[in-house]
Amino acid sequence: MIYYKNNATPKRIEWWNSLPEREQNLRICLFEIQKIAIPEQKTLLRYKKSRKEVLSAKATLKQLKLIAKAIKRQIPGYINIEKADDYSVAYLCACCRQGVPAYASYCPNCGQRISM
């Protein structure tokens, strides 16, 4: 666990080791964006002099936040699709409660990764 150093509990280390490698990499990338890149850009924004530099830094911040949001959507959660009712063949996303095709791996409305 790269970003916990020596502060991780044994239970947390066991959880981390149980994650797939792809999910570990996504979580590390998300941590680096949220805890390093975004605060760094906010700090640099304070020292920008010209309007062009300020606008460029703000655009970079916006892009980093969008990237962080996209990475969060890639991390599988406990979002499952549910049947609309007992007699229906339609499924609903548990996140946004909109209709989802049964073959989809991502909700077409909110983009959340889903599982059956």
Side-chain angles (χ1 to χ4, degrees):
M1 300 199 22
I2 296 170
Y3 54 90
Y4 281 104
K5 297 189 174 71
N6 296 328
N7 298 331
T9 63
K11 188 175 181 180
R12 182 83 172 166
I13 292 171
E14 181 182 328
W15 167 80
W16 181 259
N17 291 334
S18 70
L19 293 176
E21 185 178 346
R22 181 178 183 275
E23 188 173 343
Q24 287 179 0
N25 292 337
L26 286 171
R27 288 178 183 273
I28 290 169
C29 187
L30 182 62
F31 175 82
E32 289 174 353
I33 288 173
Q34 288 181 331
K35 301 297 182 185
I36 299 170
I38 290 176
E40 183 179 280
Q41 283 297 317
K42 286 182 178 180
T43 303
L44 291 174
L45 187 60
R46 290 187 215 143
Y47 300 108
K48 301 293 182 181
K49 301 293 183 197
S50 69
R51 179 172 168 77
K52 187 176 181 180
E53 290 176 336
V54 169
L55 291 176
S56 174
K58 285 184 178 181
T60 304
L61 261 173
K62 193 173 190 178
Q63 288 175 345
L64 287 171
K65 288 180 180 180
L66 285 173
I67 291 169
K69 188 174 184 179
I71 291 173
K72 283 181 193 175
R73 289 181 176 171
Q74 294 298 312
I75 296 174
Y78 293 102
I79 303 299
N80 295 316
I81 57 176
E82 306 163 349
K83 286 202 173 215
D85 57 29
D86 291 337
Y87 304 106
S88 176
V89 293
Y91 292 98
L92 299 176
C93 174
C95 185
C96 66
R97 308 298 298 167
Q98 299 296 319
V100 177
Y103 58 84
S105 57
Y106 294 93
C107 177
N109 301 306
C110 66
Q112 180 65 45
R113 185 170 183 195
I114 55 177
S115 61
M116 288 292 244

